[in-house]
Amino acid sequence: MHLLDPRPLLPPGLAVDQVEVRSDRVIIFAHAPQAFCCCPACGEPSNRLHSRYERQLLDLPSHGRIVELRLQVRRLRCLAAKCPRRTFAEPLPVEVARRSGRRTTRLDGLTQHLGVALGGRPGAGLARRLMLPVGKDTLLRLVRRQTPAGAGKVRALGIDEWAWRRRQRYGTILCDLEQRRIVDLLPDRDQVTVKTWLRAHPEIGVVARDRSGGFASAVNEAAPSAVQVADRWHLMENASAAFLDAVRSVLGPIRRALSNGTINPDLLSAAERLQYEGYLRRKEANDAIRALAAAGTPIKEIVRRTGRSRKLVRATLRNREDEVFRSRTSSLDPWLIRLEAMWEAGCRNAAELWRNLRDEGFGGCLRIVTEWATRRRRSEQPDGGAAGQVPPARTIARTMLANRDRLARAEAVMVATIEAAVPALAAGRVLVERFHRMVRARIPDALPTWITDASDSLVASFGRGIADDQAAVRAALTEPWSNGATEGSITKLKLVRRQMYGRGKLDLLRARLVAPA
Ligand SMILES: [Zn+2]
């Protein structure tokens, strides 16, 4: 079978004797052609044959077949009289295979790449498809064998913790912020570990970190000359979290204000005020209609006295609550009477209501009817659902910090009500917004005033934390560095660990994640 000269296809340093192509594999018989080999113990060259044996090596696959090398290896006698070794096996060049390895160096190299890129099980799956005859364990062993790249010189370092196991065990991740690559992973977040690493890198000039944890003091001790930069994203988050705490601390007054339900018109925007005034006019008219009805006045007579349409009078008498802000006219409006009748007849299932309406020609979607049914159900509750209308603290905090122009009317009313009832929270909101703006627009000069203003507020404890870490916070507003790259790396690390079903050990994670310098 010599259609093709196989010599250039083999690793250098081997001579081909024969090639055998089988259905599932190609077997290449070969030998190392040099006559003399040096004894590994004494270095004396020898060509005196003792025996021969066959060594099998797996090589890169070819044409959809596994490639197997069968090497005739000589065992030679050592010619030096005093050498403790009497015989030795002819060594193979390292480009061919490692000592006593079962695969060629180039197959190991490719397999290692696969393991680093994909991890054990997925890597082994792909290897099988590629006809690389290696299993999961071999793959992982090869990845471990790869020596992690040295950290190199790091000028700007990002440092953060990552969870081996949430709330139980944490490691430390170190990133080169200039090159945006992971430079090392540490097994824990211990001060001693971090300090040891930092001391080995005196070249570090900038360290970006979040404010929590012991990283600040570790950097203070082990890299005192480095400029510390608080991470901007964390600063923003910390401020929002501080506001949530503030909301929680005054939840009682907020609940009272919201369930009271009074609206101070001064707090509404112009458009909302127009709506509110319209509501008051409607309410006045509606109250008059209801009073007449309560006194036994027939509908026809009510229509005559109030000048309202018969339809409106009927609708008013049907609804117990008046909505402050009228929802925009809905495709449901012409069907309300029909809907109401079905509801009163006992049909409380939104889907069934919708099917009935649709059969009668209603073209709207199910959601509209579902929402109506929810409102209708709520209006039947004894307290009108007032207690349930106070949203959770997180929602209140988020709504209060949101862009005012984007709030729905009901949200704007809620915010206005809360801020009127709890002015301290309104002040806290302003402080947090000022802080956000300061970080976003990078205005370091605003920091001292902000710290002073915050000291006597609902976010005072957050303010004290900022004051204690003032240098790093100021650096966050002046330095270009931020820990974004580190955050991204943590995401990558999580992904890799998930591929390993969370079982990846540190050496494996290092091998897969720490990029060469
Ligand atoms: Zn020897």
Side-chain angles (χ1 to χ4, degrees):
M1 216 36 218
H2 277 282
L3 299 173
L4 184 74
D5 179 9
R7 269 171 304 178
L9 304 179
L10 281 188
L14 293 180
V16 177
D17 300 316
Q18 197 193 333
V19 178
E20 198 178 308
V21 180
R22 297 191 186 164
S23 60
D24 66 330
R25 62 187 60 213
V26 177
I27 303 173
I28 300 175
F29 297 89
H31 68 276
Q34 81 272 32
F36 284 89
C37 292
C38 293
C39 164
C42 67
E44 190 73 18
S46 166
N47 68 345
R48 176 111 25 108
L49 185 68
H50 170 267
S51 57
R52 288 180 201 274
Y53 66 96
E54 193 182 74
R55 181 173 167 190
Q56 292 192 8
L57 282 173
L58 290 164
D59 195 13
L60 293 176
S62 169
H63 293 75
R65 288 172 168 85
I66 289 171
V67 174
E68 201 181 290
L69 299 185
R70 297 217 181 144
L71 301 178
Q72 278 297 314
V73 182
R74 293 178 298 164
R75 184 165 276 283
L76 300 171
R77 285 182 205 282
C78 181
L79 298 176
K82 290 181 179 157
C83 181
R85 285 202 66 156
R86 296 188 40 232
T87 67
F88 61 94
E90 157 180 72
L92 288 176
V94 280
E95 305 87 68
V96 177
R98 285 158 53 93
R99 243 177 89 80
S100 72
R102 291 167 56 209
R103 293 167 304 272
T104 58
T105 304
R106 58 190 192 182
L107 176 60
D108 271 355
L110 183 63
T111 311
Q112 198 173 47
H113 273 294
L114 205 61
V116 168
L118 296 177
R121 204 177 295 269
L126 184 57
R128 209 168 34 246
R129 299 292 295 270
L130 293 172
M131 310 293 294
L132 297 177
V134 286
K136 176 172 73 82
D137 296 337
T138 306
L139 213 63
L140 294 184
R141 207 167 41 240
L142 287 172
V143 172
R144 285 211 170 89
R145 195 189 284 164
Q146 175 179 303
T147 44
K153 293 275 178 227
V154 183
R155 291 201 307 143
L157 179 79
I159 185 168
D160 209 343
E161 61 187 27
W162 57 276
W164 280 103
R165 197 152 186 195
R166 250 171 108 76
R167 278 186 255 283
Q168 285 188 29
R169 204 178 140 214
Y170 286 86
T172 302
I173 186 168
L174 300 147
C175 285
D176 183 331
L177 296 178
E178 281 179 312
Q179 297 181 29
R180 303 184 74 84
R181 64 184 184 91
I182 301 177
V183 291
D184 216 341
L185 297 171
L186 305 181
D188 52 40
R189 52 177 177 180
D190 199 82
Q191 291 263 337
V192 180
T193 317
V194 175
K195 281 192 282 196
T196 309
W197 196 94
L198 288 171
R199 288 209 176 93
H201 292 270
E203 76 276 9
I204 291 170
V206 172
V207 178
R209 52 156 177 87
D210 73 359
R211 294 188 316 111
S212 65
F215 292 135
S217 57
V219 178
N220 278 338
E221 280 184 50
S225 61
V227 175
Q228 295 187 43
V229 184
D231 182 51
R232 283 188 291 277
W233 184 83
H234 277 108
L235 284 175
M236 301 288 277
E237 280 295 300
N238 294 159
S240 301
F243 186 67
L244 176 58
D245 287 343
V247 169
R248 286 193 174 124
S249 72
V250 292
L251 217 46
I254 290 179
R255 283 213 183 90
R256 280 194 292 282
L258 288 184
S259 46
N260 199 359
T262 50
I263 291 168
N264 180 353
D266 295 341
L267 300 171
L268 301 178
S269 72
E272 286 161 0
R273 200 170 305 139
L274 280 177
Q275 288 229 350
Y276 185 58
E277 281 159 9
Y279 156 77
L280 288 180
R281 274 197 307 279
R282 278 199 312 280
K283 187 166 160 46
E284 205 178 337
N286 292 351
D287 286 348
I289 291 170
R290 289 199 184 103
L292 287 169
T297 319
I299 285 182
K300 200 174 170 186
E301 179 65 13
I302 297 176
V303 169
R304 200 185 59 78
R305 282 205 217 165
T306 58
R308 303 275 156 159
S309 76
R310 185 181 174 82
K311 189 179 157 197
L312 191 117
V313 169
R314 279 174 164 279
T316 306
L317 291 178
R318 222 170 18 241
N319 295 331
R320 296 174 200 189
E321 299 274 331
D322 298 316
E323 283 185 48
V324 178
F325 298 113
R326 245 204 309 206
S327 51
R328 58 203 160 72
T329 48
S330 139
S331 54
L332 203 57
D333 284 351
W335 299 89
L336 284 174
I337 294 172
R338 185 74 197 92
L339 208 51
E340 191 70 33
M342 289 193 279
W343 185 269
E344 289 300 335
C347 177
R348 300 291 160 102
N349 179 301
E352 198 183 330
L353 287 168
W354 174 70
R355 272 194 302 275
N356 289 343
L357 281 194
R358 193 191 50 188
D359 292 346
E360 294 177 27
F362 171 66
C365 61
L366 170 64
R367 189 179 48 81
I368 298 174
V369 178
T370 310
E371 280 170 5
W372 177 87
T374 307
R375 278 200 305 277
R376 188 68 183 78
R377 202 168 291 124
R378 202 177 284 147
S379 74
E380 286 183 346
Q381 285 163 7
D383 59 353
Q389 276 167 12
V390 178
R394 195 170 286 277
T395 309
I396 294 175
R398 189 173 5 91
T399 314
M400 288 182 74
L401 287 180
N403 186 343
R404 302 263 142 149
D405 300 335
R406 301 225 178 112
L407 290 184
R409 281 188 300 269
E411 291 172 328
V413 171
M414 177 184 83
V415 171
T417 311
I418 292 172
E419 297 206 333
V422 196
L425 191 60
R429 199 250 317 154
V430 172
L431 278 164
V432 168
E433 281 179 354
R434 268 172 60 193
F435 188 85
H436 279 166
R437 208 176 312 125
M438 177 170 75
V439 173
R440 212 177 284 128
R442 316 261 185 106
I443 320 170
D445 293 345
L447 188 57
T449 328
W450 185 89
I451 290 174
T452 315
D453 294 351
S455 66
D456 183 26
S457 74
L458 284 180
V459 292
S461 108
F462 170 62
R464 274 194 300 281
I466 293 295
D468 291 345
D469 201 12
Q470 200 174 163
V473 175
R474 175 173 271 277
L477 306 181
T478 53
E479 295 283 330
W481 304 108
S482 122
N483 231 355
T486 314
E487 298 292 325
S489 301
I490 292 176
T491 310
K492 194 166 150 193
L493 184 133
K494 282 185 190 155
L495 193 75
V496 164
R497 290 195 70 220
R498 205 170 303 138
Q499 283 177 349
M500 297 177 173
Y501 302 91
R503 290 194 299 257
K505 298 229 168 53
L506 191 67
D507 55 349
L508 215 53
L509 291 173
R510 270 211 189 107
R512 287 194 60 186
L513 286 161
V514 176

